[in-house]
Amino acid sequence: MHATTTRALALDNVSHRYGNLLAVDRVSLHVDEGEVTCLLGPSGCGKSTILRLAAGLETLQDGRVLMQNRIVAEGESGRSVPPERRGVGLVFQDFALFPHLSVARNVGFGLTELEPGARAQRIAEVLDQVDMSDYADAFPHALSGGQQQRIALARALAPQPQILLLDEPFSGLDARLREQIRDDTLHVLKRSRTATLMVTHDPEEAMFMADRIYLMQAGRVVQSGSPDALYHRPVSPFVTRFFSETNELAGIVDGGQVATPLGVLPAPSLETGTKVQILIRPESLRIARAGDNGGAVSPAILEEVRFLGGSKLLVVRLEEGLGGGTVLRLRQSGRHLPERGSKILLQLDPADALIFPA
Ligand code: ADP
């Protein structure tokens, strides 16, 4: 016997044009049961278009959309299941609550097929899930942004959708509240085991929420995988830079190695003579302590120290050797750091350097 996973959603080779603009270019992706998947990328890269194609709010031109392993839209045949019959729950950035309906009636809006008793019970259940039981009779205008977001989530979850589609659901909230609400939302999604596809442009948000991330650039998926894989094993400088600030050096491969101002780095898979870009994250550099002998150290001057709360951002200038004058940024925690202007020794674990052909 041959077991197939039930895919809550799959896009198979989907492309989409607006006039001459190819907004989505041969994208394939899937969301498994119980999984939270993020579609991540800069503004305009095609994320919302994909979400609308999945929901059926946009006519599919090319490729296929499957839900629960069944085709719901096909470009070639023009076949398409209407949005209301796809079993999708939607939450948008602006929450789109009905202003003239109470919280309970907002949440019950999609429950037309239930008897009044069962309907009231389901409304109570989901309001409890999002911790808003006390607000059943309130109207949206009387709620804070965070509370409105919870109601929008409850409304989308009430009919027990096969898949939940979230389009930048937290970007209308201020920073502090956003962290709390996304934490709460993740708990609700995981407890209800609702398969979710979330669109965001915020890498930190995607890493926090997602089991799997699809990173997009100009209509195409450039890398997919776990947050850990994308962060630690990026396939290109674009992917690396998307997740954090970087220091960038250049070099040439010689015998499986690259000489840099921060020591000799291994580049076993690249041919001698290949020009490379070396990307180093601020957190990968540290100030070596006296007597440290865990790898190469480079003398430098500490030029600036900026306080960031939990850590400090340091700007250093390499002193001598082949990188004389190179300015690098690093992040370090701890109260006792050298004074501005002092000489320090800088250290990099060669495994933390990300090397790409230039
Ligand atoms: P994202 O969600 O990643 O910001 P979108 O899917 O909204 O990207 O848009 C992808 C590209 O398609 C952008 O260049 C955008 O300007 C364009 N676009 C989106 N919707 C339309 C539309 N209805 N008509 C024409 N162009 C559109």
Side-chain angles (χ1 to χ4, degrees), residues 5-219:
T5 12
T6 304
R7 300 242 141 116
L9 170 70
L11 265 69
D12 177 19
N13 217 16
V14 165
S15 295
H16 196 82
R17 283 185 177 73
Y18 296 107
N20 287 329
L21 175 76
L22 184 58
V24 177
D25 186 7
R26 288 163 288 164
V27 165
S28 293
L29 60 82
H30 65 266
V31 184
D32 286 338
E33 293 293 321
E35 193 183 47
V36 176
T37 294
C38 280
L39 210 47
L40 173 67
S43 176
C45 72
K47 306 180 297 292
S48 299
T49 300
I50 290 178
L51 213 69
R52 291 204 304 271
L53 289 167
L57 299 174
E58 192 83 55
T59 306
L60 187 68
Q61 300 169 347
D62 225 331
R64 300 188 308 168
V65 178
L66 295 92
M67 283 177 178
Q68 311 300 118
N69 299 349
R70 284 194 218 106
I71 297 173
V72 295
E74 191 172 49
E76 200 181 16
S77 64
R79 158 177 168 197
S80 180
V81 174
E84 65 278 11
R85 291 191 39 229
R86 290 194 186 188
V88 299
L90 286 162
V91 179
F92 296 106
Q93 180 179 346
D94 62 1
F95 315 135
L97 297 176
F98 304 115
H100 58 289
L101 296 183
S102 69
V103 161
R105 291 184 62 203
N106 262 283
V107 173
F109 192 80
L111 301 176
T112 43
E113 281 165 25
L114 296 183
E115 303 291 320
R119 190 172 168 176
Q121 195 186 340
R122 181 66 189 146
I123 293 170
E125 249 169 44
V126 277
L127 282 179
D128 182 49
Q129 267 182 3
V130 298
D131 232 355
M132 286 292 288
S133 301
D134 295 342
Y135 296 85
D137 299 323
F139 281 82
H141 65 83
L143 304 177
S144 70
Q147 291 171 331
Q148 290 184 33
Q149 202 277 350
R150 286 169 203 238
I151 298 308
L153 182 65
R155 183 178 61 183
L157 287 173
Q160 295 178 291
Q162 309 281 11
I163 182 144
L164 192 62
L165 303 174
L166 310 178
D167 196 350
E168 301 275 6
F170 311 116
S171 53
L173 306 170
D174 66 61
R176 285 283 289 286
L177 185 61
R178 188 153 64 215
E179 276 177 33
Q180 179 65 48
I181 297 280
R182 76 186 180 198
D183 195 18
D184 295 346
T185 302
L186 188 60
H187 277 105
V188 172
L189 298 178
K190 286 296 177 186
R191 231 181 298 136
S192 61
R193 290 197 41 82
T194 308
T196 303
L197 180 63
M198 179 175 113
V199 160
T200 178
H201 65 275
D202 178 348
E204 197 186 293
E205 189 162 291
M207 287 192 284
F208 179 83
M209 296 287 291
D211 298 303
R212 218 140 35 76
I213 295 174
Y214 288 88
L215 178 61
M216 294 187 64
Q217 179 184 24

